[in-house]
Amino acid sequence: MNSENENEQKSKSLMEIYRKCYKKTRIDYNEKGFFTPRLRSINHLSIGRSKIISSKLTIFLELLFRLVMDIKYGLIDLWKKITPKDMQSKPAPGKHDSRLIGRITFGSHEDFHVPIHNMKVAFWARTWLFQWRKIADGITNRDGTFELPFHLAATKRWSVFKTVFEAYETSYTYRKEGHKEYHYRLFHSEKVPGSGLVGMSYNLRTIPLFYWEYRTDIGVPRVVIKDHDVDAPQYYSRGRIEAVDQQIIPIELTKLKHLEQIAHDPDSLTIEKIQSEYPENLTVCMENEQPGCTRGDEWFGRRMMNGMYAARFHQDADDPNDYWTRFYGACEYKINRKYAFPTVDIRFTMDDRGVMMPKEIHLTGPLTSTETDPWKTRVFTPEDGEKWLQAKRVARVTGGLSVELDDHLTGTHLNTEQFSIAAYRNLRLSPIAALLFPHLKEVMLVDHTADSILIGPADEAPTKSMIRSGGLIHWLQNKLDRLGSDIMFESGGYIPRASAMTHEGILQRVRDLLGVQDWKDWQPMESLSEAHTYPRAEKAYWDMLGDYLDIFFDENIEGIREHWYEVFCFSKDLVKHAVPLFNSDIDMSSLDKNQRRLAKQRMQWYQDRYHLDPSSPRDTIDGELKVLSPITHSEEFNEDDLQNLKSACQYMIMMSTFMHSWVNEHQYEDIGEVLYNCLGLRFGDGEEGVMAPESDRRIAPSLACSTQMMWFSNLLSRTEYGFIVRNEEHDINPLLVRMLKERKDEIEKNGMLIENIESRTNI
Amino acid sequence: MNNTIASQPNSIWAWFGKKFNMFVLWFVAKVFGLALAVFMGLMTRQRMSHNNGIAAEGFLDIVDNPDFPAHKFFKPGKRFPLRIRHATATFYDDAMNGIRSISIKFSHEHFDSPFDIEMNTGATSLFWSAASFLQFAKLRKEKYGIEYPEYYRRYPEGLTGAQVSLRRDPDSFHNLHYYCKTPFLFIADDRTRYYAKYRIKPFDEEPETGKIKDPSQWDTCNQRILPHETRGRNYLKDEYIERVTTKGAKYRMQIQLLKASEGEDPEIFNNMVVWDDRKYPWMDLAVLEVNSILDWTDSNLTSFSLNNMPETLGIIPAESIHDYNSLNYMRSHSEIARKARIFAYKLFGGPKEIPDDDNRNSSTID
């Protein structure tokens, strides 16, 4: 009884500390001064020196540049107001004695003949007074062809000095009363020579558009981005850039200060000092309140249940009170030999409060620099004293990296991107476009940034040329820096430097993990106890989404039915470009016994973790069994596939909003303290390898990696923009906002503030 | 952009606009005619297009019991002297894939005639107005027997017109069907106004040869002879000579009439639009019997003009370069080019005959 009371007291105390520190470690926005350093673009972030303007001279030049650009854009906006192009205007009257015809297709080599259907096109005349007159408009047909009938005389008026054909991307916003408004973003424009318009048809021929092309170099569905700032399928909204700008500067400066110190006087810096100069995170705050509380078993269990890990628990076959969870380590992926990354199996016992208390930790794989056997397993229990503490740390680190790669990067970012590409390529007039676009936008931009600064090769050469530095101002800024040390110009990926995973290994892993993500059959996790709050938040949100989609589909069924062809093309693109089902492209007979066992074990685990049914009917394309289930095979509407569409939409919105928000929100809590959890423990040169105390700096991250890790954690968690309830860009359906607010209590009491649920994955 | 009979400017600006458009049409026709005169007629002694031809003579008899309204020029049973000229457009090689023509003159003279009409194979044309014709000329870009690739890409109706008009390796000029394509006036004796189209068919209804069965979207511009062609450059003309000298050539000329009306659709003047022959049936107009061949010199001297028509059968007025009737307007204003060519013959002699040599796919004699 006493020990029960004690536990209860300890738990109360732990939870009180947690709640106090949770409130304390929330985010603030800084004021901007005249000479406040500025970030021009999210893609200018770097683990070395981000392209931040910080010296007075460069700030002055940057402000001058900004002034010129503001004047320029102001003039452009004024010009647009003076010479508006009214997309809603009616075409010029008169008998349609002529036609502008052509065909629009995708432009990349891989899909050159694939038509772009339902694309808005228009034919304009520009007058000598620079006014626009619409001559004709329409949309492309299923085969990409368009025919714009027009009155020839309207193009021959004396007032007309040129005629232009344009193609647009369609997007939507919602007015307050819930009505959808179409918006058209110019995507392609070409002059039509007036002398060529002579009546009958004028053929613009095939117009290939480099529009949401798939990359062909990477083996997973990703979009081509030629230049993040000027030649991408989408761009960040101004608000998004400002949110990063406002938050990142002090953190960037802190990182730069540390890098300078490391370059010049590394002994003057310690991990603790680095930690103290960043904003306090949850675990640091809690340790300050009660040292050791976050290293204990209860905290470990609670974070596994309800933290960033959101672990899946399997009941033990023999003891129903025991549960297991697992985080896969290096497996067979390409790794470096500097960091440990064992596979971790953890056995828990659920106590009477419903908290998972760790009982055993199994580490499989090398734990020292001299070990090579990837199949060797060691088991640790609370009776192992210090080793138990160290094993928990190893488990946190492996779990952290595994969650970041498998659930965060792959399960939300890359998973959402594949839906995003197929959606933007194919959905235009269907109500499904308005439903999904707000949740699928911008993900490819942040993924593109992650390609270099997060998972890019570790040994990328530092860049110092003016052009590659981002222009004169950035180049000048670099020159004005006191230090020219290479560390300041490092521009490779963080994870390959700071963990066992290499860039190639990460690419292999994300491909495999995408091979277990499918919308079909996905369901929220089951809550195992009162204390297991995460699944209840997940389920509440999932159920809310289901209700929202029921109403949305009912209200928009006619439009969905009419434009079912877009859904068909969407499904086709999605499946065609999906990765193979996990293990389906492996010849098991070529694997040895251990490899085979691992492959089967992983499949079994992922089936359960991601609700994947390998026996679901799937399409085989070019010899690959694609993981994503088709939504429909029918070009025409059919009721049977309507539920598929609904389920797929529910899944997409779930992944891009709640699932991403959860892991992103909580990662600073769980990976915001270097010695607590750092994504990678070095082998060091000790006999015990990573099984060493936190005080052993040989296994802790290097000073540079430590400050970079803190920079990352802060960047990813503190610079969010684009929330469902805030609806900053008015593109979220008001119905969703209202229904989410109605579930506020239910979701928030289980660990997620609804104000923090992002509307899309953009960080 | 096309006129109607009843169109009236309803403001001073519309009036000015109309006058300006007519001036532009006149100016373009004159400049084009002058350019033809200088660059084709004087410098090369060539017609604009149909230089590779053969002329013949005979008689033309208006049918005894016409189904068309009475017209004083087309008196039933009336006989006219007849001169015709068959030609292949553009190239000096009969074995190329080309548009074939027949020009008819109700006279035995080289030029003077009460009625001339020019027809080409295919019911529709490759262009439909002066403006589109200028584009056609501009985008020709002929090289080695391939022409108009860009024009066909830009103007799908032009491509369709080419596909229906081109004839590859026909057996004879005689069995082809020729159409005037553009409508003309037909003001009957009772002053009723009609629009008329004409066509020529073989009298015995022998099947037409040379039609392209499966025209290509991309290769229509390729008019070159077939890879293992055995026919010579003059095979069609040689066949015609043989035919006329041994058995003669007999044709049927037909007319299609559409009654003019208030507020009529300008598309009726569009030579890309075939009149529905169920509503506007073809009626026999005349029988043509050709019985003697003219030599190369006479063939070159024989010229045709749309100005050689009675006023009640002449061209329909046009109001702008986009007007469907502007094609005939331009043709009627190219008299200067004919005169320049004939003048050049006098100065430099006529063009030489096309040799049966290996200069294939050629747009020049040599």
Side-chain angles (χ1 to χ4, degrees), chain A residues 95 97 99 101 151-154 156 158 190 195-205, chain B residues 1 17 20 128-129 131-132 135 138 150 153-157 265-267 270 272 322 324:
Chain A
K95 183 177 159 59
D97 50 14
R99 282 170 299 282
I101 66 174
H151 185 47
L152 182 64
K156 301 294 178 189
W158 297 4
E190 67 181 74
S195 60
L197 298 173
V198 292
M200 306 298 283
S201 304
Y202 184 81
N203 190 358
L204 294 175
R205 295 150 56 185
Chain B
M1 292 302 288
F20 180 77
W128 46 89
S129 66
S132 78
Q135 279 293 101
K138 178 179 154 193
E150 185 62 24
R153 281 192 213 121
R154 289 279 174 208
Y155 300 101
E157 283 89 359
D265 185 355
E267 290 299 307
N270 186 351
M272 308 303 288
H322 297 285
Y324 293 131

Side-chain angles (χ1 to χ4, degrees), chain A residues 295-306:
Chain A
R295 274 50 173 179
D297 289 358
E298 182 183 341
W299 182 251
F300 184 90
R302 284 192 183 273
R303 295 315 290 175
M304 285 293 158
M305 291 164 72
N306 300 321

Side-chain angles (χ1 to χ4, degrees), chain A residues 46-63:
Chain A
S46 170
I47 60 166
R49 171 179 283 285
S50 296
K51 295 190 180 99
I52 296 234
I53 321 298
S54 57
S55 87
K56 287 193 170 52
L57 172 62
T58 51
I59 287 174
F60 178 74
L61 288 175
E62 169 70 5
L63 284 171

Side-chain angles (χ1 to χ4, degrees), chain B residues 64-187:
Chain B
D64 290 325
N65 294 302
D67 293 324
F68 54 87
H71 190 284
K72 62 181 181 218
F73 185 79
F74 293 130
K75 282 205 177 87
K78 187 173 176 185
R79 169 166 275 212
F80 288 92
L82 170 70
R83 189 174 273 209
I84 64 116
R85 182 172 180 275
H86 280 298
T88 296
T90 315
F91 296 103
Y92 288 92
D93 192 329
D94 291 348
M96 289 179 75
N97 188 13
I99 291 173
R100 320 293 171 166
S101 72
I102 185 171
S103 304
I104 297 166
K105 183 181 287 294
F106 284 26
S107 155
H108 281 166
E109 303 299 320
H110 286 140
F111 179 71
D112 292 333
S113 159
F115 187 93
D116 285 356
I117 188 99
E118 294 163 316
M119 304 190 203
N120 289 287
T121 44
T124 59
S125 187
L126 285 71
F127 38 80
W128 46 89
S129 66
S132 78
F133 176 75
L134 291 174
Q135 279 293 101
F136 179 74
K138 178 179 154 193
L139 295 176
R140 185 183 171 217
K141 297 181 181 171
E142 186 270 330
K143 204 151 184 149
Y144 309 128
I146 296 172
E147 56 181 7
Y148 305 113
E150 185 62 24
Y151 181 79
Y152 294 147
R153 281 192 213 121
R154 289 279 174 208
Y155 300 101
E157 283 89 359
L159 173 64
T160 308
Q163 289 170 342
V164 305
S165 300
L166 289 166
R167 296 289 179 271
R168 180 178 280 289
D169 298 335
D171 296 340
S172 171
F173 279 121
H174 177 254
N175 64 34
L176 305 181
H177 296 192
Y178 304 91
Y179 296 78
C180 69
K181 309 185 196 205
T182 50
F184 292 85
L185 280 175
F186 185 101
I187 301 175

Side-chain angles (χ1 to χ4, degrees), chain A residues 14 17 283 286-287 289-297 299-300:
Chain A
L14 180 67
I17 294 167
T283 53
M286 289 177 69
E287 283 295 309
E289 292 285 328
Q290 189 180 86
C293 68
T294 62
R295 274 50 173 179
D297 289 358
W299 182 251
F300 184 90

Side-chain angles (χ1 to χ4, degrees), chain A residues 601-626:
Chain A
Q601 185 198 69
R602 285 182 75 188
M603 184 48 158
Q604 191 58 49
W605 176 258
Y606 293 139
Q607 272 179 246
D608 198 47
R609 172 98 179 108
Y610 301 109
H611 308 271
L612 177 79
D613 180 359
S615 64
S616 256
R618 290 186 163 84
D619 291 349
T620 298
I621 296 173
D622 295 333
E624 285 187 351
L625 179 65
K626 298 295 186 177

